[in-house]
Amino acid sequence: AARRNRRMPKHSSLDEDEGAVGLLGLPRGSEQNDSIRAREMTATVGERRRYRRSERFPWKEWGLSLLLTIAGIAFLPIGLYELLGRGDVRRGTPFLCISPFVLLPGIYHLVIIIRAYLGHSGFHYHQVVRRR
């Protein structure tokens, strides 16, 4: 029995979409989108970092996320001490309930800012919520 050569067609129906938009918001297949993607794919970490530094560093957001992270880390042992050490449920429960709501957003935004600073692909400063 002869085996058929099963090849995928060169152009799928998704590539033929004229309204398709790439990751950077530019039309898919446009020269500008392709050149930006090629530059990011072939750049070293140092070059990516220099490329990303054209974006303004979010100092206020960095400070707020650092403050939230530190506060969340501080609330956790305080709540555990009040609950387990002193046995006071009324004083320990609020700290334990608030700690994850403060800690998680702080860590989330710190990770985004640090990875954007290091130039990792897919991370940009504009992903951090900014208030003007």
Side-chain angles (χ1 to χ4, degrees):
R3 293 179 59 178
R4 292 185 181 178
N5 189 4
R6 296 181 184 177
R7 286 189 190 172
M8 294 295 291
K10 286 186 178 181
H11 300 287
S12 67
S13 61
L14 292 176
D15 291 339
E16 296 170 4
D17 260 352
E18 291 182 16
V21 176
L23 292 175
L24 302 173
L26 301 168
R28 186 176 286 158
S30 70
E31 291 179 23
Q32 187 179 9
N33 192 12
D34 292 342
S35 68
I36 291 173
R37 179 169 289 141
R39 186 174 31 184
E40 281 193 350
M41 301 274 285
T42 59
T44 64
V45 173
E47 290 171 349
R48 281 190 298 225
R49 194 176 304 150
R50 274 188 300 253
Y51 172 69
R52 305 268 181 184
R53 287 206 179 145
S54 63
E55 298 179 74
R56 215 175 116 244
F57 188 81
W59 288 105
K60 291 178 186 177
E61 292 79 8
W62 175 80
L64 179 63
S65 62
L66 189 64
L67 178 72
L68 287 173
T69 303
I70 292 171
I73 290 171
F75 285 164
L76 192 61
I78 291 171
L80 289 173
Y81 172 73
E82 291 291 334
L83 184 67
L84 301 175
R86 293 178 134 183
D88 193 358
V89 176
R90 293 180 109 190
R91 291 181 69 181
T93 305
F95 286 106
L96 290 176
C97 289
I98 290 176
S99 178
F101 290 109
V102 175
L103 183 64
L104 291 176
I107 289 175
Y108 174 77
H109 284 94
L110 268 182
V111 167
I112 290 174
I113 291 171
I114 290 170
R115 292 194 70 180
Y117 178 78
L118 293 175
H120 295 171
S121 63
F123 290 91
H124 301 276
Y125 294 138
H126 66 82
Q127 293 173 323
V128 178
V129 176
R130 291 189 177 182
R131 300 198 69 152
R132 296 184 194 255

